[in-house]
Amino acid sequence: MKVDLTTTIKNLKFRNPVTVASGTYGTTDEYAGYVEPKKLGAIITKTITVKPRAGNPMPRICETSAGMLNAIGLQNKGLEDFLKNKIPYFQKLKVPLIVSIAGESVSEFSKLAETFDRLKDVVKALEVNLSCPNVETGGVNFMKKQERILDAVKAVRDKTSLVTFAKISPELGDVIEIAGKVIEQGMDGISLINTLRGMAINIHTRSSRLAKDFGGLSGPAIKPVALRYVYQVKKEYNVPVIASGGICDTRDALEFLMVGADLLAVGTANFVIPAATVDILKGIEAFMKKEKIQDLGKLRGSYKPACERGEGCSR
Ligand SMILES: Cc1cc2nc3c(=O)[nH]c(=O)nc-3n(C[C@H](O)[C@H](O)[C@H](O)COP(=O)(O)O)c2cc1C
């Protein structure tokens, strides 16, 4: 039996729903020895900023019992370098490219959106990162004031007709309320969730295991939280959702599909199992064959809420 994994979002067609979470896949070619990037449904880039950013001092990642902490701080070589050195690679690759962008000001968000709007042959969508917890300027601290979030997404919407996703995190405040507001400002979909701020201490030195006090927690520890938000946002607004947060294996991926996720962004798992994305892809296919489900659309959103089963209804 052949199964159809095609996923459609607005005018975009993805051959399957499996992609990579921003910042967890290098610049893609590093993974080419483990995974044929062509097999992915889409590629989401590391967040690109207008100016190059060195990121935070090291150490800036550490393992914890159920995930990792990172305080990378949006390290990247900036817009100009990305256009010159990376866009040609993606042009050849021919996998739908979703570029993650972040500005330190509203005008930077405008500039990024305007620039990528001119590259529609290769860039298919933008993920507007409103939620990096690890930077002093831009990111979660800048965005804590809700009017700034709304100004940033409005600036992006005004400058591009590309499909746009706002990436939000519980660190920003009420996820459901913010999702509603950015959709009102014209965002096509939501990307959920970015990392949750956490700490890890070296008990011998009594200092942080990172150079900073806090980092963003990702991996299995945040999966139940991410799953709940994807479910709620999908239920409340029925817009396209990119899910990330502890998607490590097929079972995780199926849970996110069942609550309605459109794309599944594999993040921390890439560091543990470099071929996690293709393993998950094969696993979804095998599950569908076993359950005799031909079309992914039949699986997506098939979760049966407790209240429909006559049990407790959660909000
Ligand atoms: C090392 C690292 C770097 C990250 N960099 C970014 C980034 O540049 N932009 C962004 O939007 N999210 C970034 N994230 C967050 C991931 O894209 C993802 O939303 C989050 O890690 C949850 O997914 P996971 O639990 O599968 O890792 C980063 C995460 C990690 C672990």
Side-chain angles (χ1 to χ4, degrees):
M1 180 180 131
K2 236 181 132 44
V3 296
D4 183 3
L5 297 177
T6 313
T7 296
T8 306
I9 298 178
K10 297 254 158 190
N11 58 338
L12 302 177
K13 216 169 193 176
F14 303 92
R15 68 175 68 105
N16 67 66
V18 178
T19 182
V20 286
S22 177
T24 64
Y25 207 61
T27 52
T28 300
D29 44 349
E30 296 93 330
Y31 273 82
Y34 301 98
V35 180
E36 252 188 279
K38 269 186 188 312
K39 295 225 162 112
L40 299 175
I43 287 170
I44 305 179
T45 69
K46 168 87 188 152
T47 298
I48 310 297
T49 53
V50 173
K51 289 174 245 144
R53 291 181 62 102
N56 291 320
M58 295 193 197
R60 51 193 189 183
I61 54 170
C62 75
E63 274 183 54
T64 73
S65 48
M68 71 187 272
L69 284 176
N70 94 80
I72 304 287
L74 297 186
Q75 179 198 14
N76 78 104
K77 291 183 178 165
L79 178 61
E80 218 169 284
D81 179 85
F82 184 77
L83 296 176
K84 189 164 161 245
N85 296 318
K86 286 295 154 199
I87 284 289
Y89 169 78
F90 289 116
Q91 241 147 0
K92 277 195 212 125
L93 195 62
K94 293 201 165 55
V95 174
L97 186 65
I98 303 176
V99 176
S100 168
I101 57 169
E104 289 179 14
S105 63
V106 170
S107 65
E108 286 192 358
F109 277 101
S110 277
K111 184 181 164 99
L112 289 157
E114 195 171 22
T115 305
F116 289 114
D117 188 70
R118 286 190 232 111
L119 295 171
K120 289 204 180 84
D121 61 321
V122 49
V123 178
K124 300 301 169 195
L126 294 179
E127 186 178 78
V128 187
N129 181 2
L130 301 167
S131 48
C132 180
N134 305 315
V135 292
E136 306 303 330
T137 45
V140 138
N141 295 326
F142 173 73
M143 292 295 168
K144 271 256 154 80
K145 286 204 177 354
Q146 267 200 25
E147 64 269 21
R148 289 199 183 136
I149 297 182
L150 301 186
D151 289 347
V153 295
K154 191 171 178 310
V156 170
R157 185 70 294 164
D158 286 349
K159 295 288 181 194
T160 183
S161 57
L162 286 166
V163 172
T164 50
F165 295 89
K167 185 163 181 179
I168 51 189
S169 125
E171 295 284 340
L172 285 174
D174 184 331
V175 166
I176 313 300
E177 185 190 324
I178 296 168
K181 290 191 172 163
V182 298
I183 293 163
E184 259 172 42
Q185 292 299 327
M187 288 289 105
D188 297 299
I190 307 292
S191 180
L192 294 161
I193 59 173
N194 211 322
T195 54
L196 302 174
R197 250 185 294 205
M199 286 178 90
I201 295 170
N202 176 331
I203 56 166
H204 304 292
T205 61
R206 301 181 193 191
S207 58
S208 174
R209 289 172 56 205
L210 300 167
K212 292 178 63 122
D213 293 318
F214 309 141
L217 179 64
S218 62
I222 69 169
K223 188 194 115 188
V225 179
L227 191 64
R228 173 209 145 199
Y229 279 123
V230 171
Y231 171 60
Q232 281 192 297
V233 165
K234 230 22 224 193
K235 191 165 129 190
E236 198 77 27
Y237 307 111
N238 196 22
V239 293
V241 167
I242 301 175
S244 70
I247 304 178
C248 298
D249 60 21
T250 302
R251 189 176 286 263
D252 298 329
L254 290 169
E255 287 187 57
F256 278 95
L257 280 169
M258 286 174 187
V259 294
D262 293 272
L263 293 180
L264 305 165
V266 178
T268 299
N270 292 310
F271 299 115
V272 187
I273 306 165
T277 43
V278 281
D279 292 350
I280 288 171
L281 201 48
K282 283 186 208 146
I284 296 172
E285 251 182 285
F287 179 82
M288 286 172 68
K289 281 182 185 164
K290 190 161 162 262
E291 299 268 319
K292 300 201 171 23
I293 303 167
Q294 220 164 347
D295 173 6
L296 191 64
K298 297 258 159 44
L299 194 58
R300 188 176 277 122
S302 61
Y303 169 69
K304 297 178 185 141
C307 47
E308 279 176 22
R309 302 193 319 261
E311 291 160 23
C313 194
S314 320
R315 261 201 62 86

